[in-house]
Amino acid sequence: MKRMFTSITKSLTGNKQIAKNYLSHFLIPIFLLFVLCVSFSYYSHSYLPKGVNSVFADRFSVILLVTLFIALSVFTLLLRSGKFALHDFLSPMDGIDAADLFLVLLPLSPVIQYILNNQDLLSAYDVIIILGIFFLLSGLLIILIPWLLSRVGSSRVLKMMGTTFAFMISYMAILSKNFSWLGKGSLKIQLLFFACVFLITFFLYNPKNKWGLYLPVLAFFLSTLLMQLSVFQSSDNETYLNSPSDFELITAVGNKQPLRKPNVYLLLYDAYVSSETMTAYGIDNSEQEEYLRELGFTLFPQTYSLFADTMRSMGRVLNASMEIEGDLNSTVSGDGKVIRLFKEMGYQTYGIFPYDFMFRGLTPKYDDYIPRFSAPPYSHLLSAILIGEFRFDIGFYDQDHSEFVLEKQEMLLDASRQKSFVYMHTNVPSY
């Protein structure tokens, strides 16, 4: 190791410009990248669930720390050689080029794609917040920090380093989907992707002709936007039955009134399988089922969910149809045709949930529901992008279970005092 340091130091001390380039083109960019990774890792562990981006930042930080230690050791030997003073490595501060805002479009391209894919959940305010945050963060990494470090570091290298890091974080969710990553990704693929983006942008960014990079970035941004808009337009042309008059069940019922109007309780316990399935695993649930029968409940043996996920399964249940009729999120959050029928018959409707996952940017249509608090839609999307993967449970407000049980009991007691339809969906025993 000492021989290697000595060899590197001799080659650097032989040429002042080479030594200066070593600091500005290598040491300072590596230091900046290390700080960015550590900062992002700290933020992720403090405020976000563990995900692909945080694991990448953790792993990359270790590699950068080792590299930085070696680079600093070489630089220390340079200073100790006595041939250079610290001021020899300083340069005049560069100016800020407003045209570099074109570079911000690169990390914003995947963000635009995410927004269009989730446009049904986002308001104009949400879109402005998301774009504003990523625009400011990207501008900080691509323009402001390179400008502040331009006396000791190469603006070109620092700008491309900031551009690549910002793009890596915003694009990670797409990589996670393409490579089926969950929780963590392949470091080899991530490093290869990072290196390719950096090298391509670095060689295209010519200080004398910056449009060599601006134009490809602009083309990438516009192509992403147009391609996503075309997908959105084609999906928008799908026909759904949205009017109550289109629903066969509502049409069949008409103005008819039932002979009896008992309270109706639809109680779902996530992943609570039927007794015959539990029996196959040696679990006897007959005592619990008998208790429910004594209370007047009707059990439906050999019954399974229609689909694997809640929205597609319960959306069809609450529409009494296997077809996609209207927005499934809206259906589960209280606007399904089954719930409309109960309302028309004078029922008070209740929605009881431990989290606001069912609502996702919607105002629930139940007469009464919990939880009342719902995190703003933009926070869901921001969390997913920063985590680096779109998981169903990201960013949603989740009540403490004991608090949920108390509120559930109060609401069920209130529902028992009047003619009520109750849909309760709890997240146990699934985890």
Side-chain angles (χ1 to χ4, degrees):
M1 183 68 74
K2 186 175 181 180
R3 288 182 179 179
M4 182 184 71
F5 284 160
T6 304
S7 176
I8 294 174
T9 304
K10 285 182 179 180
S11 63
L12 291 175
T13 53
N15 189 306
K16 182 178 180 179
Q17 187 59 43
I18 293 178
K20 187 174 182 179
N21 287 341
Y22 171 77
L23 175 70
S24 62
H25 287 71
F26 182 71
L27 180 55
I28 296 300
I30 290 296
F31 173 74
L32 173 61
L33 189 55
F34 174 72
V35 171
L36 292 178
C37 283
V38 171
S39 301
F40 183 83
S41 180
Y42 173 79
Y43 173 82
S44 296
H45 289 295
S46 299
Y47 302 104
L48 297 172
K50 184 178 180 181
V52 176
N53 267 330
S54 63
V55 173
F56 167 70
D58 292 343
R59 292 170 165 177
F60 202 12
S61 297
V62 175
I63 297 174
L64 291 171
L65 180 61
V66 174
T67 307
L68 187 61
F69 174 77
I70 297 173
L72 281 172
S73 300
V74 172
F75 186 68
T76 302
L77 291 175
L78 274 177
L79 294 179
R80 291 180 62 183
S81 69
K83 296 185 178 181
F84 302 101
L86 195 58
H87 63 79
D88 293 328
F89 297 95
L90 301 179
S91 303
M93 183 173 279
D94 292 341
I96 294 179
D97 188 354
D100 281 338
L101 287 173
F102 278 104
L103 300 177
V104 175
L105 296 179
L106 187 61
L108 281 183
S109 297
V111 176
I112 288 291
Q113 184 174 342
Y114 305 143
I115 288 174
L116 290 176
N117 280 338
N118 295 276
Q119 52 81 32
D120 56 326
L121 306 178
L122 304 172
S123 65
Y125 174 77
D126 294 315
V127 172
I128 292 173
I129 291 293
I130 295 169
L131 289 178
I133 288 176
F134 276 97
F135 180 83
L136 291 175
L137 289 176
S138 300
L140 177 69
L141 297 179
I142 297 171
I143 298 176
L144 185 59
I145 292 179
W147 173 68
L148 293 174
L149 294 177
S150 60
R151 289 211 67 190
V152 292
S154 165
S155 292
R156 182 184 181 187
V157 178
L158 293 173
K159 287 177 183 178
M160 297 309 103
M161 194 70 77
T163 301
T164 304
F165 185 81
F167 181 65
M168 187 78 183
I169 295 300
S170 66
Y171 198 79
M172 190 68 80
I174 295 177
L175 292 178
S176 296
K177 179 181 179 182
N178 292 340
F179 291 101
S180 301
W181 292 338
L182 181 62
K184 64 179 180 179
S186 167
L187 185 60
K188 291 181 181 179
I189 294 176
Q190 291 166 336
L191 291 179
L192 179 61
F193 183 83
F194 188 95
C196 288
V197 174
F198 173 77
L199 291 174
I200 291 172
T201 55
F202 178 78
F203 286 113
L204 289 178
Y205 187 80
N206 186 337
K208 296 180 179 180
N209 182 21
K210 297 179 180 179
W211 285 99
L213 178 58
Y214 293 162
L215 286 177
V217 168
L218 183 59
F220 179 74
F221 177 83
L222 292 176
S223 62
T224 300
L225 177 62
L226 293 175
M227 185 164 53
Q228 202 59 42
L229 284 174
S230 65
V231 172
F232 168 67
Q233 186 66 32
S234 62
S235 63
D236 207 34
N237 290 330
E238 296 180 11
T239 56
Y240 298 106
L241 303 175
N242 291 315
S243 170
S245 61
D246 294 331
F247 296 142
E248 293 182 6
L249 179 59
I250 293 179
T251 303
V253 171
N255 296 322
K256 300 175 183 178
Q257 291 293 319
L259 298 177
R260 295 174 58 248
K261 292 184 179 180
N263 282 7
V264 178
Y265 298 89
L266 178 58
L267 310 179
L268 273 79
Y269 294 85
D270 206 271
Y272 193 168
V273 296
S274 56
S275 60
E276 57 267 24
T277 303
M278 296 176 74
T279 301
Y281 288 93
I283 302 173
D284 183 5
N285 197 40
S286 58
E287 186 176 344
Q288 172 68 13
E289 291 193 343
E290 186 58 34
Y291 173 71
L292 292 174
R293 289 192 183 95
E294 290 175 358
L295 293 177
F297 281 86
T298 300
L299 304 183
F300 299 91
Q302 300 179 350
T303 302
Y304 299 88
S305 59
L306 297 173
F307 291 90
D309 61 277
T310 297
M311 288 302 179
R312 288 193 298 164
S313 182
M314 294 310 301
R316 286 164 169 81
V317 168
L318 295 172
N319 266 342
S321 172
M322 285 296 291
E323 302 300 324
I324 301 178
E325 299 179 346
D327 178 60
L328 294 181
N329 286 31
S330 179
T331 298
V332 178
S333 65
D335 200 28
K337 60 183 179 180
V338 170
I339 299 173
R340 290 186 207 165
L341 277 175
F342 277 107
K343 285 186 175 183
E344 290 176 7
M345 290 186 291
Y347 277 75
Q348 188 81 359
T349 60
Y350 293 83
I352 304 175
F353 307 98
Y355 38 56
D356 66 339
F357 171 72
M358 308 298 183
F359 308 155
R360 295 205 291 185
L362 301 171
T363 301
K365 296 297 180 65
Y366 297 102
D367 295 315
D368 200 2
Y369 59 90
I370 56 170
R372 284 290 179 176
F373 173 81
S374 181
Y378 68 79
S379 69
H380 306 333
L381 193 59
L382 284 174
S383 297
I385 297 172
L386 293 176
I387 291 171
E389 53 184 313
F390 281 79
R391 301 200 303 254
F392 82 95
D393 59 343
I394 289 176
F396 297 104
Y397 171 72
D398 195 353
Q399 284 181 301
D400 177 75
H401 185 68
S402 59
E403 178 185 338
F404 165 69
V405 170
L406 290 175
E407 290 195 35
K408 176 183 69 173
Q409 290 173 344
E410 291 178 7
M411 190 164 287
L412 288 172
L413 181 61
D414 182 65
S416 68
R417 297 190 182 112
Q418 56 192 316
K419 190 168 52 181
S420 304
F421 170 82
V422 178
Y423 169 37
M424 186 210 73
H425 196 122
T426 184
N427 52 2
V428 290
S430 64
Y431 67 88

